Amino acid sequence: MKHPTHQPDTEEAAGIRSLYNRPGFLLRRAHQISVSLFMEATAELGVTTTQYGVLLILHHFEGLDQISLAKKVGLDRSTTGLVLKKLEQKGLVVRTNDPGDLRRKIIVLTARGERMLDKLTAPAANAQAAALEPFSDQEASQFKDLLKRFVEFYNASTRAPIIEDGDVV
């Protein structure tokens, strides 16, 4: 085992650079940075990026059950269940019986959840602006367009694709 202060030789340095230049590594690191920027901007509110996404979807779509919500956010059902449990504990959402199908539970954003979403609007926008800060306006637009193209290309083949109105995005 090498000592942590070991300086890599030329071959090792090239191997490390090849790791750091891999798309998967860069995407994971970019995601870590993006989450960190969001968490820093929203620290006093105690909401994760995933919870924010769920609150936002529930604000815009009524009558969603857990499976429908999972499809709109691009999460698997078990992760969605864990996120909803946390949001319920915070009083931000409730599950109610669907009047048309008593076996089905509808997820509803509470008044407290709506207020939280309002409080999150400015900090979330600030985090998004911070994430795009390294770029000019044109580069930021191109960066988002390329990420969107990447996501759209692979979305249908993922474990938890985003599905809107029955169609894979």
Side-chain angles (χ1 to χ4, degrees):
M1 187 164 119
K2 296 180 181 180
H3 190 273
T5 60
H6 167 78
Q7 294 298 314
D9 61 28
T10 305
E11 186 178 322
E12 288 174 321
I16 292 168
R17 278 193 305 279
S18 74
L19 169 67
Y20 292 166
N21 287 318
R22 294 174 66 99
F25 182 90
L26 291 167
L27 288 166
R28 180 187 61 79
R29 188 66 184 136
H31 178 259
Q32 289 173 324
I33 292 166
S34 178
V35 167
S36 178
L37 291 169
F38 180 90
M39 297 307 290
E40 185 178 308
T42 64
E44 71 277 357
L45 299 172
V47 174
T48 67
T49 56
T50 305
Q51 291 170 349
Y52 174 68
V54 166
L55 293 173
L56 201 55
I57 290 292
L58 290 173
H59 174 76
H60 290 287
F61 296 94
E62 291 183 11
L64 295 179
D65 60 16
Q66 184 172 325
I67 294 169
S68 302
L69 174 64
K71 289 177 180 179
K72 290 215 178 286
V73 184
L75 296 173
D76 60 63
R77 285 193 276 179
S78 61
T79 301
T80 305
L82 294 171
V83 171
L84 288 173
K85 183 177 179 182
K86 290 281 190 189
L87 292 173
E88 282 180 306
Q89 290 170 348
K90 294 178 182 185
L92 303 177
V93 302
V94 293
R95 298 179 211 222
T96 62
N97 287 328
D98 180 348
D101 182 354
L102 296 179
R103 296 169 297 170
R104 187 171 176 251
K105 296 283 188 183
I106 302 298
I107 318 303
V108 178
L109 197 57
T110 64
R112 186 176 188 175
E114 288 285 356
R115 288 191 302 275
M116 176 60 79
L117 198 52
D118 287 342
K119 290 177 189 175
L120 285 162
T121 301
N126 292 341
Q128 184 177 32
L132 297 173
E133 189 175 335
F135 308 115
S136 68
D137 290 347
Q138 182 181 354
E139 289 170 333
S141 180
Q142 184 179 21
F143 179 70
K144 291 187 296 184
D145 288 345
L146 290 170
L147 286 172
K148 185 176 179 186
R149 186 185 327 164
F150 181 87
V151 168
E152 288 173 349
F153 187 86
Y154 288 107
N155 182 58
S157 63
T158 65
R159 188 181 56 145
I162 293 174
I163 301 175
E164 287 188 38
D165 302 323
D167 295 326
V168 175
V169 175

